[in-house]
Amino acid sequence: MATSLDEPAAPARVDPAARPRRVRRSRAARPWLLLAGPLLVIAGLLLYPIVRVTVLSFQRYGLKEVISGKPEFIGLDNYREALSGDYLWKTVLPNTVVFAAVAVAGTVVLGTLVALLLQHLGPRLRALVIGSALVAWALPAVTGTYVWVWIFDPDSGIVRRTLIALGMLDPEGFNWFTDRLSFYAIAVLNVIHHGYPFIAITIFAGLSTVPEELHEAAKLDGANAWRRFWSITVPLMRPVFAVVTILSTIWDFKVFAQIYLMPGGDGSNPDVFNLGVWSYVSSINQNKYGLGSAIAVLLTLVLLVITMIYVRALFREDELQ
């Protein structure tokens, strides 16, 4: 049967589920559109240098190549040079790992003690302690390092004069910066002093989320302060402790200014180099940019491995509970 030419065509059928799907896709894309600008900036500031350093680590890039602009691809030779010999394994790596471990432990312990102190102070004293701690945190690493160098100055430092007055040091004094152990003891004090305020304030903020009723119930059961801390505070604060520990590990492994600016840390005493300073001295002082880049890549890999191990162990503990 023929239809009339004036009869309107039937409208196309629309899938009822198609519109909700489009709406969901549009809503899912909005956050990424808002983040596109910052992500591009981060990619330019972080990803490009990482790629560039990685490429340089496979090249011979010295002063000759800088002038000619023609680097030579040498494969893994820079990594072989860095990994071969005893200097990395007996000097640089122990300096980096032991220093970072002691500094992280000291920073987290001191920050936790200060946070617990803040919890028991009144508003005025708490504000005074927080303000004093923030001064240490806001102090630039360069300024803080020179302050500690002045304190331990071998000729006229406060420590030297105090120890001589107490009869604990000979009048000729002692150069704290030539000995590897005393050098890193000063560096550890510097890093802990500069880093503990962030840990203290972060943990203090986390302590406010621990229910007071749990501590009161534990007191009724006869638990002392130490027992309450390990049985109540630590389990509930484990994510906070994990964050501050990981951040401190990353910061302390890549410490540079606190080592380089101390007497002997700028290249005159290779026994006190860590990975960061070794990479810088190899690149800038010796014009071995390929070797310096390889050392920087190794430092990044070490940080990634340590962070992954710690995070995996943390998640494993949560699964067992």
Side-chain angles (χ1 to χ4, degrees):
M1 182 177 177
T3 59
S4 173
L5 294 176
D6 297 333
E7 183 179 349
R13 296 183 61 183
V14 178
D15 186 3
R19 181 175 177 79
R21 281 199 299 268
R22 286 197 297 270
V23 172
R24 286 195 298 268
R25 291 173 183 172
S26 175
R27 290 178 177 175
R30 288 175 188 172
W32 292 105
L33 292 176
L34 294 174
L35 291 172
L39 289 177
L40 289 175
V41 174
I42 292 174
L45 294 177
L46 293 180
L47 292 182
Y48 174 75
I50 291 174
V51 173
R52 180 59 177 160
V53 167
T54 304
V55 172
L56 280 176
S57 68
F58 295 102
Q59 297 175 341
R60 177 180 288 110
Y61 203 88
L63 186 59
K64 175 183 176 182
E65 286 74 23
V66 171
I67 296 174
S68 65
K70 297 178 180 180
E72 179 185 353
F73 179 80
I74 57 174
L76 298 175
D77 286 357
N78 288 321
Y79 291 95
R80 293 191 186 97
E81 182 178 353
L83 295 172
S84 63
D86 295 333
Y87 184 61
L88 171 65
W89 306 106
K90 292 185 177 181
T91 302
V92 175
L93 197 60
N95 288 349
T96 305
V97 175
V98 176
F99 163 76
V102 175
V104 169
T107 306
V108 173
V109 169
L110 180 60
T112 303
L113 292 176
V114 173
L116 293 173
L117 174 65
L118 291 174
Q119 200 176 26
H120 294 86
L121 293 179
R124 293 184 179 179
L125 279 177
R126 183 183 300 163
L128 178 63
V129 173
I130 292 177
S132 303
L134 287 178
V135 171
W137 188 47
L139 195 69
V142 174
T143 305
T145 301
Y146 283 131
V147 169
W148 284 98
V149 170
W150 172 73
I151 291 174
F152 285 91
D153 186 89
D155 298 324
S156 59
I158 296 175
V159 173
R160 178 184 184 274
R161 287 183 289 178
T162 302
L163 293 178
I164 291 177
L166 295 174
M168 301 175 64
L169 188 66
D170 295 333
E172 57 268 18
F174 177 75
N175 191 340
W176 311 94
F177 301 102
T178 57
D179 181 72
R180 183 179 177 187
L181 183 60
S182 59
F183 180 98
Y184 270 98
I186 299 171
V188 165
L189 291 175
N190 185 6
V191 170
I192 291 176
H193 174 258
H194 187 263
Y196 88 88
F198 171 80
I199 307 295
I201 294 174
T202 303
I203 293 178
F204 174 66
L207 289 173
S208 62
T209 64
V210 178
E212 188 63 30
E213 295 81 6
L214 297 177
H215 287 280
E216 294 176 356
K219 287 182 182 179
L220 295 177
D221 292 337
N224 57 25
W226 182 256
R227 182 66 177 174
R228 294 197 303 272
F229 176 75
W230 281 107
S231 300
I232 298 174
T233 304
V234 171
L236 294 176
M237 292 278 294
R238 184 174 283 110
V240 178
F241 282 117
V243 170
V244 296
T245 302
I246 292 173
L247 289 177
S248 296
T249 301
I250 294 173
W251 293 337
D252 294 346
F253 255 89
K254 62 185 185 66
V255 159
F256 175 79
Q258 291 89 334
I259 304 297
Y260 184 79
L261 295 176
M262 289 172 61
D266 58 351
S268 59
N269 186 6
D271 289 339
V272 299
F273 285 2
N274 64 357
L275 282 170
V277 173
W278 188 29
S279 172
Y280 179 86
V281 170
S282 298
S283 300
I284 305 302
N285 294 8
Q286 302 175 2
N287 295 320
K288 297 180 179 179
Y289 298 100
L291 176 61
S293 299
I295 298 169
V297 172
L298 292 175
L299 173 59
T300 304
L301 293 177
V302 170
L303 282 174
L304 289 175
V305 170
I306 291 176
T307 304
M308 289 174 60
I309 291 174
Y310 189 86
V311 172
R312 186 174 180 180
L314 181 67
F315 284 134
R316 186 175 299 170
E317 289 181 4
D318 292 338
E319 292 173 0
L320 294 176
Q321 293 178 354

